[in-house]
Every structure is written in structure tokens, then in C-alpha cells.
mmCIF file of all heavy atoms in Angstrom:
data_model
loop_
_atom_site.group_PDB
_atom_site.id
_atom_site.type_symbol
_atom_site.label_atom_id
_atom_site.label_comp_id
_atom_site.label_asym_id
_atom_site.label_seq_id
_atom_site.Cartn_x
_atom_site.Cartn_y
_atom_site.Cartn_z
ATOM 1 N N TRP I 30 71.772 110.572 56.316
ATOM 2 C CA TRP I 30 71.860 109.118 56.359
ATOM 3 C C TRP I 30 72.446 108.717 57.713
ATOM 4 O O TRP I 30 73.436 109.300 58.173
ATOM 5 C CB TRP I 30 72.751 108.594 55.239
ATOM 6 C CG TRP I 30 72.129 108.660 53.887
ATOM 7 C CD1 TRP I 30 72.208 109.678 52.987
ATOM 8 C CD2 TRP I 30 71.322 107.649 53.270
ATOM 9 N NE1 TRP I 30 71.514 109.369 51.851
ATOM 10 C CE2 TRP I 30 70.960 108.125 51.989
ATOM 11 C CE3 TRP I 30 70.887 106.381 53.650
ATOM 12 C CZ2 TRP I 30 70.171 107.389 51.101
ATOM 13 C CZ3 TRP I 30 70.111 105.644 52.763
ATOM 14 C CH2 TRP I 30 69.761 106.150 51.515
ATOM 15 N N PHE I 31 71.813 107.735 58.315
ATOM 16 C CA PHE I 31 72.323 107.099 59.518
ATOM 17 C C PHE I 31 72.457 105.601 59.227
ATOM 18 O O PHE I 31 71.898 105.098 58.255
ATOM 19 C CB PHE I 31 71.351 107.295 60.693
ATOM 20 C CG PHE I 31 71.278 108.705 61.199
ATOM 21 C CD1 PHE I 31 70.513 109.663 60.551
ATOM 22 C CD2 PHE I 31 71.971 109.082 62.338
ATOM 23 C CE1 PHE I 31 70.446 110.967 61.022
ATOM 24 C CE2 PHE I 31 71.914 110.376 62.814
ATOM 25 C CZ PHE I 31 71.147 111.326 62.159
ATOM 26 N N ARG I 32 73.178 104.910 60.066
ATOM 27 C CA ARG I 32 73.275 103.454 59.911
ATOM 28 C C ARG I 32 73.305 102.797 61.271
ATOM 29 O O ARG I 32 73.695 103.413 62.270
ATOM 30 C CB ARG I 32 74.518 103.071 59.110
ATOM 31 C CG ARG I 32 75.855 103.387 59.785
ATOM 32 C CD ARG I 32 76.998 103.107 58.814
ATOM 33 N NE ARG I 32 78.300 103.350 59.437
ATOM 34 C CZ ARG I 32 79.460 103.303 58.789
ATOM 35 N NH1 ARG I 32 79.480 103.018 57.476
ATOM 36 N NH2 ARG I 32 80.586 103.517 59.432
ATOM 37 N N GLN I 33 72.871 101.554 61.289
ATOM 38 C CA GLN I 33 72.842 100.806 62.540
ATOM 39 C C GLN I 33 73.171 99.352 62.266
ATOM 40 O O GLN I 33 72.553 98.717 61.403
ATOM 41 C CB GLN I 33 71.483 100.930 63.215
ATOM 42 C CG GLN I 33 71.435 100.340 64.612
ATOM 43 C CD GLN I 33 70.176 100.739 65.361
ATOM 44 O OE1 GLN I 33 69.169 101.134 64.760
ATOM 45 N NE2 GLN I 33 70.226 100.670 66.678
ATOM 46 N N SER I 34 74.134 98.827 62.986
ATOM 47 C CA SER I 34 74.490 97.418 62.893
ATOM 48 C C SER I 34 74.082 96.729 64.193
ATOM 49 O O SER I 34 73.889 97.386 65.210
ATOM 50 C CB SER I 34 75.986 97.259 62.611
ATOM 51 O OG SER I 34 76.751 97.986 63.534
ATOM 52 N N PRO I 35 73.927 95.407 64.178
ATOM 53 C CA PRO I 35 73.443 94.688 65.361
ATOM 54 C C PRO I 35 74.277 94.969 66.601
ATOM 55 O O PRO I 35 75.512 94.912 66.578
ATOM 56 C CB PRO I 35 73.561 93.226 64.923
ATOM 57 C CG PRO I 35 73.420 93.256 63.449
ATOM 58 C CD PRO I 35 74.109 94.515 63.018
ATOM 59 N N GLY I 36 73.592 95.303 67.684
ATOM 60 C CA GLY I 36 74.265 95.526 68.950
ATOM 61 C C GLY I 36 74.880 96.898 69.106
ATOM 62 O O GLY I 36 75.492 97.189 70.138
ATOM 63 N N LYS I 37 74.718 97.737 68.095
ATOM 64 C CA LYS I 37 75.305 99.077 68.149
ATOM 65 C C LYS I 37 74.225 100.140 68.044
ATOM 66 O O LYS I 37 73.136 99.891 67.537
ATOM 67 C CB LYS I 37 76.326 99.261 67.024
ATOM 68 C CG LYS I 37 77.557 98.364 67.146
ATOM 69 C CD LYS I 37 78.574 98.706 66.083
ATOM 70 C CE LYS I 37 79.830 97.857 66.228
ATOM 71 N NZ LYS I 37 80.840 98.208 65.185
ATOM 72 N N GLU I 38 74.548 101.332 68.518
ATOM 73 C CA GLU I 38 73.623 102.445 68.398
ATOM 74 C C GLU I 38 73.616 102.977 66.973
ATOM 75 O O GLU I 38 74.575 102.820 66.220
ATOM 76 C CB GLU I 38 74.008 103.566 69.369
ATOM 77 C CG GLU I 38 73.851 103.186 70.832
ATOM 78 C CD GLU I 38 74.067 104.365 71.755
ATOM 79 O OE1 GLU I 38 74.428 105.452 71.259
ATOM 80 O OE2 GLU I 38 73.876 104.200 72.969
ATOM 81 N N ARG I 39 72.512 103.623 66.626
ATOM 82 C CA ARG I 39 72.419 104.243 65.312
ATOM 83 C C ARG I 39 73.439 105.374 65.237
ATOM 84 O O ARG I 39 73.539 106.188 66.154
ATOM 85 C CB ARG I 39 71.011 104.775 65.093
ATOM 86 C CG ARG I 39 70.725 105.235 63.690
ATOM 87 C CD ARG I 39 69.228 105.450 63.480
ATOM 88 N NE ARG I 39 68.487 104.203 63.610
ATOM 89 C CZ ARG I 39 67.192 104.092 63.361
ATOM 90 N NH1 ARG I 39 66.499 105.150 62.954
ATOM 91 N NH2 ARG I 39 66.584 102.933 63.503
ATOM 92 N N GLU I 40 74.189 105.424 64.136
ATOM 93 C CA GLU I 40 75.231 106.441 64.011
ATOM 94 C C GLU I 40 75.039 107.271 62.750
ATOM 95 O O GLU I 40 74.557 106.789 61.718
ATOM 96 C CB GLU I 40 76.626 105.796 64.004
ATOM 97 C CG GLU I 40 76.908 104.903 62.825
ATOM 98 C CD GLU I 40 78.367 104.457 62.769
ATOM 99 O OE1 GLU I 40 79.207 104.998 63.527
ATOM 100 O OE2 GLU I 40 78.668 103.577 61.949
ATOM 101 N N PHE I 41 75.454 108.503 62.858
ATOM 102 C CA PHE I 41 75.376 109.456 61.747
ATOM 103 C C PHE I 41 76.378 109.076 60.667
ATOM 104 O O PHE I 41 77.505 108.663 60.970
ATOM 105 C CB PHE I 41 75.676 110.862 62.273
ATOM 106 C CG PHE I 41 75.856 111.896 61.213
ATOM 107 C CD1 PHE I 41 74.769 112.501 60.612
ATOM 108 C CD2 PHE I 41 77.140 112.289 60.817
ATOM 109 C CE1 PHE I 41 74.940 113.462 59.631
ATOM 110 C CE2 PHE I 41 77.320 113.249 59.844
ATOM 111 C CZ PHE I 41 76.221 113.841 59.256
ATOM 112 N N VAL I 42 75.964 109.229 59.413
ATOM 113 C CA VAL I 42 76.846 108.949 58.280
ATOM 114 C C VAL I 42 77.120 110.217 57.476
ATOM 115 O O VAL I 42 78.281 110.583 57.260
ATOM 116 C CB VAL I 42 76.235 107.868 57.362
ATOM 117 C CG1 VAL I 42 77.117 107.654 56.132
ATOM 118 C CG2 VAL I 42 76.029 106.571 58.116
ATOM 119 N N ALA I 43 76.074 110.893 57.018
ATOM 120 C CA ALA I 43 76.251 112.078 56.178
ATOM 121 C C ALA I 43 74.955 112.874 56.155
ATOM 122 O O ALA I 43 73.887 112.320 56.388
ATOM 123 C CB ALA I 43 76.650 111.694 54.757
ATOM 124 N N SER I 44 75.066 114.164 55.867
ATOM 125 C CA SER I 44 73.882 115.005 55.773
ATOM 126 C C SER I 44 74.050 116.049 54.691
ATOM 127 O O SER I 44 75.169 116.450 54.347
ATOM 128 C CB SER I 44 73.577 115.681 57.110
ATOM 129 O OG SER I 44 74.546 116.680 57.395
ATOM 130 N N ILE I 45 72.908 116.518 54.184
ATOM 131 C CA ILE I 45 72.883 117.603 53.206
ATOM 132 C C ILE I 45 71.642 118.429 53.480
ATOM 133 O O ILE I 45 70.572 117.881 53.751
ATOM 134 C CB ILE I 45 72.896 117.043 51.764
ATOM 135 C CG1 ILE I 45 73.015 118.174 50.743
ATOM 136 C CG2 ILE I 45 71.660 116.197 51.492
ATOM 137 C CD1 ILE I 45 73.343 117.672 49.335
ATOM 138 N N ASN I 46 71.772 119.756 53.442
ATOM 139 C CA ASN I 46 70.601 120.580 53.719
ATOM 140 C C ASN I 46 69.849 120.877 52.432
ATOM 141 O O ASN I 46 70.268 120.494 51.338
ATOM 142 C CB ASN I 46 70.987 121.850 54.463
ATOM 143 C CG ASN I 46 71.639 122.874 53.556
ATOM 144 O OD1 ASN I 46 72.448 122.520 52.705
ATOM 145 N ND2 ASN I 46 71.276 124.141 53.730
ATOM 146 N N TRP I 47 68.746 121.625 52.549
ATOM 147 C CA TRP I 47 67.790 121.768 51.461
ATOM 148 C C TRP I 47 68.378 122.392 50.205
ATOM 149 O O TRP I 47 67.987 122.052 49.097
ATOM 150 C CB TRP I 47 66.590 122.596 51.926
ATOM 151 C CG TRP I 47 66.945 124.006 52.258
ATOM 152 C CD1 TRP I 47 67.513 124.469 53.408
ATOM 153 C CD2 TRP I 47 66.773 125.146 51.422
ATOM 154 N NE1 TRP I 47 67.719 125.823 53.335
ATOM 155 C CE2 TRP I 47 67.279 126.275 52.131
ATOM 156 C CE3 TRP I 47 66.255 125.335 50.148
ATOM 157 C CZ2 TRP I 47 67.265 127.550 51.589
ATOM 158 C CZ3 TRP I 47 66.237 126.610 49.606
ATOM 159 C CH2 TRP I 47 66.735 127.701 50.327
ATOM 160 N N ASN I 48 69.365 123.258 50.342
ATOM 161 C CA ASN I 48 69.930 123.890 49.148
ATOM 162 C C ASN I 48 71.309 123.340 48.798
ATOM 163 O O ASN I 48 71.975 123.855 47.906
ATOM 164 C CB ASN I 48 69.994 125.406 49.308
ATOM 165 C CG ASN I 48 70.914 125.839 50.436
ATOM 166 O OD1 ASN I 48 71.532 125.013 51.091
ATOM 167 N ND2 ASN I 48 71.005 127.134 50.657
ATOM 168 N N GLY I 49 71.737 122.308 49.522
ATOM 169 C CA GLY I 49 73.015 121.690 49.213
ATOM 170 C C GLY I 49 74.231 122.453 49.690
ATOM 171 O O GLY I 49 75.364 122.075 49.392
ATOM 172 N N ALA I 50 74.009 123.527 50.437
ATOM 173 C CA ALA I 50 75.122 124.374 50.852
ATOM 174 C C ALA I 50 75.867 123.820 52.059
ATOM 175 O O ALA I 50 77.009 124.209 52.305
ATOM 176 C CB ALA I 50 74.614 125.779 51.160
ATOM 177 N N ASN I 51 75.231 122.979 52.819
ATOM 178 C CA ASN I 51 75.854 122.433 54.024
ATOM 179 C C ASN I 51 75.861 120.912 53.945
ATOM 180 O O ASN I 51 74.806 120.280 53.938
ATOM 181 C CB ASN I 51 75.099 122.883 55.274
ATOM 182 C CG ASN I 51 75.159 124.377 55.461
ATOM 183 O OD1 ASN I 51 74.247 125.097 55.044
ATOM 184 N ND2 ASN I 51 76.223 124.866 56.053
ATOM 185 N N ILE I 52 77.039 120.357 53.884
ATOM 186 C CA ILE I 52 77.234 118.907 53.787
ATOM 187 C C ILE I 52 78.219 118.484 54.860
ATOM 188 O O ILE I 52 79.265 119.130 55.042
ATOM 189 C CB ILE I 52 77.758 118.515 52.395
ATOM 190 C CG1 ILE I 52 76.686 118.777 51.332
ATOM 191 C CG2 ILE I 52 78.195 117.062 52.373
ATOM 192 C CD1 ILE I 52 77.149 118.520 49.909
ATOM 193 N N TYR I 53 77.878 117.416 55.560
ATOM 194 C CA TYR I 53 78.748 116.896 56.612
ATOM 195 C C TYR I 53 78.879 115.384 56.469
ATOM 196 O O TYR I 53 77.948 114.708 56.012
ATOM 197 C CB TYR I 53 78.190 117.222 58.004
ATOM 198 C CG TYR I 53 78.062 118.689 58.281
ATOM 199 C CD1 TYR I 53 76.817 119.313 58.254
ATOM 200 C CD2 TYR I 53 79.181 119.466 58.571
ATOM 201 C CE1 TYR I 53 76.686 120.666 58.507
ATOM 202 C CE2 TYR I 53 79.054 120.821 58.826
ATOM 203 C CZ TYR I 53 77.811 121.416 58.794
ATOM 204 O OH TYR I 53 77.691 122.757 59.042
ATOM 205 N N TYR I 54 80.020 114.870 56.891
ATOM 206 C CA TYR I 54 80.270 113.437 56.873
ATOM 207 C C TYR I 54 80.829 112.992 58.222
ATOM 208 O O TYR I 54 81.541 113.749 58.905
ATOM 209 C CB TYR I 54 81.295 113.070 55.792
ATOM 210 C CG TYR I 54 80.836 113.349 54.379
ATOM 211 C CD1 TYR I 54 81.216 114.513 53.724
ATOM 212 C CD2 TYR I 54 80.033 112.442 53.703
ATOM 213 C CE1 TYR I 54 80.808 114.764 52.430
ATOM 214 C CE2 TYR I 54 79.619 112.690 52.398
ATOM 215 C CZ TYR I 54 80.010 113.865 51.779
ATOM 216 O OH TYR I 54 79.599 114.122 50.492
ATOM 217 N N ALA I 55 80.540 111.756 58.580
ATOM 218 C CA ALA I 55 81.226 111.148 59.704
ATOM 219 C C ALA I 55 82.680 110.909 59.305
ATOM 220 O O ALA I 55 82.981 110.646 58.133
ATOM 221 C CB ALA I 55 80.560 109.820 60.069
ATOM 222 N N ASP I 56 83.568 111.007 60.268
ATOM 223 C CA ASP I 56 84.989 110.807 59.969
ATOM 224 C C ASP I 56 85.243 109.422 59.360
ATOM 225 O O ASP I 56 86.139 109.268 58.521
ATOM 226 C CB ASP I 56 85.821 110.962 61.241
ATOM 227 C CG ASP I 56 85.893 112.399 61.712
ATOM 228 O OD1 ASP I 56 85.594 113.314 60.905
ATOM 229 O OD2 ASP I 56 86.242 112.615 62.881
ATOM 230 N N SER I 57 84.453 108.443 59.769
ATOM 231 C CA SER I 57 84.672 107.071 59.315
ATOM 232 C C SER I 57 84.375 106.868 57.830
ATOM 233 O O SER I 57 84.820 105.874 57.247
ATOM 234 C CB SER I 57 83.813 106.107 60.140
ATOM 235 O OG SER I 57 82.443 106.434 60.013
ATOM 236 N N VAL I 58 83.638 107.785 57.224
ATOM 237 C CA VAL I 58 83.279 107.621 55.805
ATOM 238 C C VAL I 58 83.822 108.744 54.934
ATOM 239 O O VAL I 58 83.693 108.680 53.702
ATOM 240 C CB VAL I 58 81.749 107.527 55.630
ATOM 241 C CG1 VAL I 58 81.167 106.434 56.505
ATOM 242 C CG2 VAL I 58 81.062 108.856 55.875
ATOM 243 N N LYS I 59 84.410 109.746 55.538
ATOM 244 C CA LYS I 59 84.913 110.894 54.784
ATOM 245 C C LYS I 59 85.946 110.442 53.754
ATOM 246 O O LYS I 59 86.842 109.663 54.054
ATOM 247 C CB LYS I 59 85.522 111.909 55.749
ATOM 248 C CG LYS I 59 85.669 113.307 55.199
ATOM 249 C CD LYS I 59 86.111 114.270 56.293
ATOM 250 C CE LYS I 59 85.056 114.429 57.360
ATOM 251 N NZ LYS I 59 85.460 115.415 58.405
ATOM 252 N N GLY I 60 85.770 110.912 52.528
ATOM 253 C CA GLY I 60 86.671 110.527 51.458
ATOM 254 C C GLY I 60 86.229 109.276 50.707
ATOM 255 O O GLY I 60 86.758 108.977 49.633
ATOM 256 N N ARG I 61 85.278 108.543 51.268
ATOM 257 C CA ARG I 61 84.781 107.325 50.608
ATOM 258 C C ARG I 61 83.319 107.447 50.198
ATOM 259 O O ARG I 61 82.900 106.849 49.209
ATOM 260 C CB ARG I 61 84.937 106.112 51.545
ATOM 261 C CG ARG I 61 86.355 105.820 51.955
ATOM 262 C CD ARG I 61 86.458 104.514 52.731
ATOM 263 N NE ARG I 61 85.698 104.537 53.982
ATOM 264 C CZ ARG I 61 84.689 103.706 54.258
ATOM 265 N NH1 ARG I 61 84.325 102.777 53.391
ATOM 266 N NH2 ARG I 61 84.057 103.792 55.423
ATOM 267 N N PHE I 62 82.524 108.186 50.966
ATOM 268 C CA PHE I 62 81.101 108.358 50.692
ATOM 269 C C PHE I 62 80.856 109.781 50.205
ATOM 270 O O PHE I 62 81.524 110.727 50.645
ATOM 271 C CB PHE I 62 80.262 108.121 51.948
ATOM 272 C CG PHE I 62 80.218 106.690 52.433
ATOM 273 C CD1 PHE I 62 81.054 105.717 51.917
ATOM 274 C CD2 PHE I 62 79.321 106.329 53.417
ATOM 275 C CE1 PHE I 62 81.012 104.409 52.370
ATOM 276 C CE2 PHE I 62 79.257 105.022 53.893
ATOM 277 C CZ PHE I 62 80.115 104.071 53.355
ATOM 278 N N THR I 63 79.867 109.922 49.323
ATOM 279 C CA THR I 63 79.483 111.233 48.815
ATOM 280 C C THR I 63 77.971 111.358 48.842
ATOM 281 O O THR I 63 77.268 110.491 48.311
ATOM 282 C CB THR I 63 79.981 111.437 47.374
ATOM 283 O OG1 THR I 63 81.401 111.243 47.325
ATOM 284 C CG2 THR I 63 79.646 112.843 46.892
ATOM 285 N N ILE I 64 77.472 112.440 49.446
ATOM 286 C CA ILE I 64 76.035 112.689 49.493
ATOM 287 C C ILE I 64 75.692 113.797 48.505
ATOM 288 O O ILE I 64 76.444 114.764 48.362
ATOM 289 C CB ILE I 64 75.576 113.043 50.928
ATOM 290 C CG1 ILE I 64 74.046 113.035 51.030
ATOM 291 C CG2 ILE I 64 76.166 114.372 51.383
ATOM 292 C CD1 ILE I 64 73.537 113.150 52.468
ATOM 293 N N SER I 65 74.561 113.642 47.807
ATOM 294 C CA SER I 65 74.146 114.645 46.829
ATOM 295 C C SER I 65 72.622 114.646 46.731
ATOM 296 O O SER I 65 71.965 113.720 47.214
ATOM 297 C CB SER I 65 74.764 114.365 45.466
ATOM 298 O OG SER I 65 74.356 113.093 44.984
ATOM 299 N N LYS I 66 72.079 115.701 46.076
ATOM 300 C CA LYS I 66 70.628 115.833 45.937
ATOM 301 C C LYS I 66 70.255 115.943 44.472
ATOM 302 O O LYS I 66 70.950 116.583 43.694
ATOM 303 C CB LYS I 66 70.101 117.075 46.670
ATOM 304 C CG LYS I 66 70.186 117.014 48.161
ATOM 305 C CD LYS I 66 69.821 118.352 48.777
ATOM 306 C CE LYS I 66 68.331 118.639 48.748
ATOM 307 N NZ LYS I 66 67.877 119.281 47.538
ATOM 308 N N ASP I 67 69.141 115.327 44.122
ATOM 309 C CA ASP I 67 68.520 115.513 42.819
ATOM 310 C C ASP I 67 67.187 116.197 43.097
ATOM 311 O O ASP I 67 66.193 115.546 43.417
ATOM 312 C CB ASP I 67 68.317 114.170 42.115
ATOM 313 C CG ASP I 67 67.748 114.320 40.721
ATOM 314 O OD1 ASP I 67 67.085 115.351 40.443
ATOM 315 O OD2 ASP I 67 67.947 113.413 39.898
ATOM 316 N N ASN I 68 67.163 117.515 42.972
ATOM 317 C CA ASN I 68 65.962 118.258 43.351
ATOM 318 C C ASN I 68 64.762 117.931 42.471
ATOM 319 O O ASN I 68 63.625 117.925 42.934
ATOM 320 C CB ASN I 68 66.244 119.757 43.312
ATOM 321 C CG ASN I 68 67.178 120.192 44.419
ATOM 322 O OD1 ASN I 68 67.149 119.649 45.519
ATOM 323 N ND2 ASN I 68 68.013 121.168 44.128
ATOM 324 N N ASP I 69 65.018 117.648 41.210
ATOM 325 C CA ASP I 69 63.913 117.339 40.298
ATOM 326 C C ASP I 69 63.172 116.077 40.719
ATOM 327 O O ASP I 69 61.974 115.948 40.491
ATOM 328 C CB ASP I 69 64.419 117.190 38.870
ATOM 329 C CG ASP I 69 64.893 118.516 38.300
ATOM 330 O OD1 ASP I 69 64.482 119.561 38.830
ATOM 331 O OD2 ASP I 69 65.669 118.494 37.328
ATOM 332 N N LYS I 70 63.899 115.151 41.326
ATOM 333 C CA LYS I 70 63.315 113.870 41.708
ATOM 334 C C LYS I 70 63.079 113.772 43.212
ATOM 335 O O LYS I 70 62.671 112.730 43.707
ATOM 336 C CB LYS I 70 64.224 112.724 41.268
ATOM 337 C CG LYS I 70 64.411 112.647 39.762
ATOM 338 C CD LYS I 70 65.324 111.481 39.382
ATOM 339 C CE LYS I 70 65.523 111.397 37.881
ATOM 340 N NZ LYS I 70 66.433 110.282 37.504
ATOM 341 N N ASN I 71 63.346 114.860 43.958
ATOM 342 C CA ASN I 71 63.224 114.828 45.421
ATOM 343 C C ASN I 71 63.948 113.620 45.998
ATOM 344 O O ASN I 71 63.413 112.876 46.834
ATOM 345 C CB ASN I 71 61.753 114.800 45.845
ATOM 346 C CG ASN I 71 61.087 116.153 45.698
ATOM 347 O OD1 ASN I 71 61.735 117.189 45.747
ATOM 348 N ND2 ASN I 71 59.790 116.145 45.491
ATOM 349 N N THR I 72 65.164 113.416 45.535
ATOM 350 C CA THR I 72 65.947 112.246 45.920
ATOM 351 C C THR I 72 67.318 112.667 46.432
ATOM 352 O O THR I 72 67.931 113.586 45.891
ATOM 353 C CB THR I 72 66.119 111.297 44.724
ATOM 354 O OG1 THR I 72 64.838 110.856 44.286
ATOM 355 C CG2 THR I 72 66.963 110.079 45.104
ATOM 356 N N VAL I 73 67.754 111.997 47.478
ATOM 357 C CA VAL I 73 69.117 112.184 47.994
ATOM 358 C C VAL I 73 69.888 110.895 47.754
ATOM 359 O O VAL I 73 69.389 109.802 48.041
ATOM 360 C CB VAL I 73 69.107 112.549 49.484
ATOM 361 C CG1 VAL I 73 70.511 112.505 50.065
ATOM 362 C CG2 VAL I 73 68.504 113.934 49.685
#
């Protein structure tokens, strides 16, 4: 997930790899945002 607000560059928010083993967060959202995968629905 990335995000972009007016007048600012697109910034990284969070990521998850194909098997869920590697998850990263931007410092600005760590502890508040959670990324997860639903493999059955091909949804993050």
C-alpha cells in the first residue's frame, strides 16, 4: 500500500509478500495499521 496527498510524493505505507512471511510498515503507521492477506479471495 502506498498513499499520496495533494502536493506530496507518493509514500510507502505497508507491504506483505506472497506467503505472508515478510511484512513491513512505514514508521508513521507502525502500531496503528495492520496488513494481512486472504489467499482464498486474493485480497490484501
Side-chain angles (χ1 to χ4, degrees):
W30 286 91
F31 290 80
R32 66 187 182 186
Q33 188 168 20
S34 52
K37 294 186 178 181
E38 294 187 355
R39 190 167 296 186
E40 65 172 349
F41 170 81
V42 176
S44 71
I45 186 167
N46 76 319
W47 65 280
N48 63 1
N51 296 95
I52 293 176
Y53 299 104
Y54 296 98
D56 289 343
S57 59
V58 306
K59 199 173 294 182
R61 300 187 298 119
F62 291 11
T63 304
I64 191 171
S65 60
K66 292 172 75 272
D67 183 336
N68 290 326
D69 291 339
K70 298 180 180 179
N71 284 334
T72 299
V73 170

